[in-house]
Amino acid sequence: MSEMESRVDRMARAARDPVVVLHKFNKLRSQRPEQLVLVVEGDEDPIFYSVIAQRCGVQDDFLALVAGGKDLVLGFRELLKVSLEAKRGAGVAFAVDRDFDDLKGFESGADIYCTPTYSIENIACSPAAIKNLLYYEFKLHDPELLGDIDRVAEIYDDVSAKFVAEVRDINLLIYFGRTDSMRLCGASIRDIEERANRIFSLNAENLAINCNFKGDAATEIVRFTAPVSIGDAILALPRFSALEPRERWRGKFWLALVVRFLSILVEDRNSSSPRFFACGRGKIKLNLASDSVFRLLASACEIPPCMRFFFAQLPQNALR
C-alpha cells in the first residue's frame, strides 16, 4: 500500500471516530448552550425529523447534529455518557434507523429512538403517504375524482409487488451481510450501490420493473470485503422471509421507487389523454428533488405511534 493510500485510510478511520462527533457537539454547544440536540445519522434526517416533530406538536425547537452514520450516533451516545467535558444543556436525544441490526447490542433507553422499520425512508414511503399526496398534490379532492385515489393506490400496490420480486436478492444479501456473513464467510459489507437508476428501472409505459442484479449479480450492488455468493446468503432465507418488505427492506430503494412512480404520475396527470387518471391537464407541479420530496413525504406519511411517543417525551427523556 502506498503512503498516500495509507494516509487516506487513516483519515477515513479518523472521520469514523465518535470523538470527531464530540468535537462537533462541543462546538455546537458553545453557540447554543441550552437548546435540545437531536443526534441523527445522515444529512436528510434533519428534514424528516423536523417535519415529524412539527406534526407531533413538539413545542421546543431542537438542533439536529448529523453524526455521519449509525455507528457514530451509537458511539457518540456511549462517549457522551462518560464525558466530563461535554455540556448536555437542555438535553441530548438520538435517532437511528433499525436497519437489519437494530441497536447493534447497545443499550436502549428513552433518550434514543430506533425506527420500527428499516429506515425513515420506509416510513416516508408508506401507502398512506401515496394516498395523501394523490388527494392534495394531484388535486383529486373533487368528488368526481376521488375514485382515482384508490385506483392509483392499487396500481402502486401492484408495482410494489413486482419491485419486491425484482430486488429480493439484493435485500437478502444486505440482510446476510448485517447478520451472518462475518461469522460464516469472514466477510462484511464494504459498501452498497446508491445509484437507483443503475439498480432498477420502472417503465413509464407499462410500469414494468427490471433489475439486472439477481442471483450472484447482486454482489455487484452489495459489495463485500471478501467473496460472498447468493448461495451463502440463502442460509439466512428463513429469517429474511419473515420480514415484511415494505417495512423491513432497504428504505433507500423504496424511496427511489416512489420518486420514479410519482414522476410518471405527474406526467400522466398533466397529459391530455391520461392512462391512470379520469381527468388530465392537471397542471401538477411537484418538486421531486431529493430534499424536497423527502420533506413532502414526511408531511404526508403516517407517523408510527412509537415515534409520536418519543417526541411527546422530549425534552424530559433526553440525556442530561
Side-chain angles (χ1 to χ4, degrees), residues 48-73:
F48 178 80
Y49 282 112
S50 63
V51 173
I52 294 297
Q54 291 172 9
R55 290 180 60 196
C56 290
V58 173
Q59 299 300 316
D60 296 296
D61 290 336
F62 61 82
L63 295 171
L65 177 65
V66 177
K70 183 175 181 177
D71 288 339
L72 288 171
V73 174

Side-chain angles (χ1 to χ4, degrees), residues 6-311:
S6 179
R7 183 167 174 263
V8 169
D9 286 343
R10 287 197 301 271
M11 291 174 64
R13 283 195 298 272
R16 294 194 294 269
D17 190 336
V19 173
V20 174
V21 186
L22 179 60
H23 291 328
K24 288 174 63 178
F25 174 78
N26 287 336
K27 187 174 182 179
L28 183 64
R29 269 287 176 249
S30 69
Q31 300 176 52
R32 303 289 181 88
E34 294 301 325
Q35 201 163 355
L36 174 68
V37 173
L38 179 67
V39 185
V40 297
E41 294 185 35
D43 291 331
E44 291 181 333
D45 294 38
I47 298 170
F48 178 80
Y49 282 112
S50 63
V51 173
I52 294 297
Q54 291 172 9
R55 290 180 60 196
C56 290
V58 173
Q59 299 300 316
D60 296 296
D61 290 336
F62 61 82
L63 295 171
L65 177 65
V66 177
K70 183 175 181 177
D71 288 339
L72 288 171
V73 174
L74 296 173
F76 171 63
R77 179 174 178 247
E78 296 305 302
L79 192 61
L80 192 61
K81 289 178 181 179
V82 299
S83 174
L84 299 177
E85 60 171 304
K87 297 178 180 179
R88 299 178 184 175
V92 186
F94 308 85
V96 295
D97 291 336
R98 184 177 182 180
D99 301 325
F100 288 135
D101 47 19
D102 299 338
L103 290 180
K104 294 189 160 187
F106 287 96
E107 184 180 6
S108 61
D111 62 301
I112 186 167
Y113 179 73
C114 184
T115 62
T117 56
Y118 182 96
S119 67
I120 55 176
E121 284 88 350
N122 301 74
I123 297 172
C125 296
S126 66
I130 302 298
K131 283 193 171 185
N132 285 333
L133 290 182
L134 287 169
Y135 183 80
Y136 293 107
E137 302 297 331
F138 284 81
K139 304 175 185 178
L140 299 181
H141 37 72
D142 187 290
E144 294 187 5
L145 300 177
L146 287 176
D148 284 356
I149 297 176
D150 289 335
R151 180 164 53 253
V152 175
E154 288 180 6
I155 293 172
Y156 177 66
D157 286 341
D158 183 59
V159 169
S160 296
K162 297 174 184 175
F163 180 70
V164 166
E166 289 292 305
V167 299
R168 169 187 171 276
D169 289 348
I170 295 175
N171 280 279
L172 174 59
L173 270 180
I174 298 173
Y175 179 81
F176 181 67
R178 299 299 190 211
T179 57
D180 298 317
S181 66
M182 180 56 72
R183 178 174 57 88
L184 298 177
C185 301
S188 59
I189 294 176
R190 186 176 73 245
D191 58 69
I192 301 173
E193 174 65 61
E194 298 290 350
R195 293 171 296 176
N197 61 347
R198 180 173 181 246
I199 298 172
F200 73 90
S201 62
L202 176 60
N203 188 290
E205 296 300 319
N206 57 16
L207 298 182
I209 292 183
N210 181 55
C211 173
N212 292 321
F213 300 95
K214 299 171 187 169
D216 282 331
T219 58
E220 297 179 38
I221 301 300
V222 186
R223 295 175 280 264
F224 287 81
T225 56
V228 170
S229 71
I230 196 67
D232 297 321
I234 291 296
L235 297 171
L237 187 59
R239 283 173 288 128
F240 173 77
S241 298
L243 302 177
E244 203 288 313
R246 273 184 176 168
E247 295 182 357
R248 296 303 316 281
W249 287 16
R250 187 168 175 82
K252 283 184 171 59
F253 296 161
W254 282 109
L255 178 61
L257 175 68
V258 166
V259 169
R260 177 61 178 143
F261 184 69
L262 288 176
S263 68
I264 292 172
L265 292 184
V266 169
E267 184 176 344
D268 189 68
R269 180 77 168 93
N270 289 337
S271 71
S272 58
S273 302
R275 292 172 296 140
F276 309 126
F277 298 94
C279 182
R281 297 189 175 92
K283 298 181 180 179
I284 308 300
K285 295 181 180 179
L286 213 56
N287 188 345
L288 297 177
S290 179
D291 290 353
S292 298
V293 74
F294 213 52
R295 184 177 287 107
L296 190 66
L297 289 167
S299 68
C301 69
E302 184 176 357
I303 303 175
C306 58
M307 185 177 284
R308 287 188 180 277
F309 181 81
F310 174 76
F311 279 110

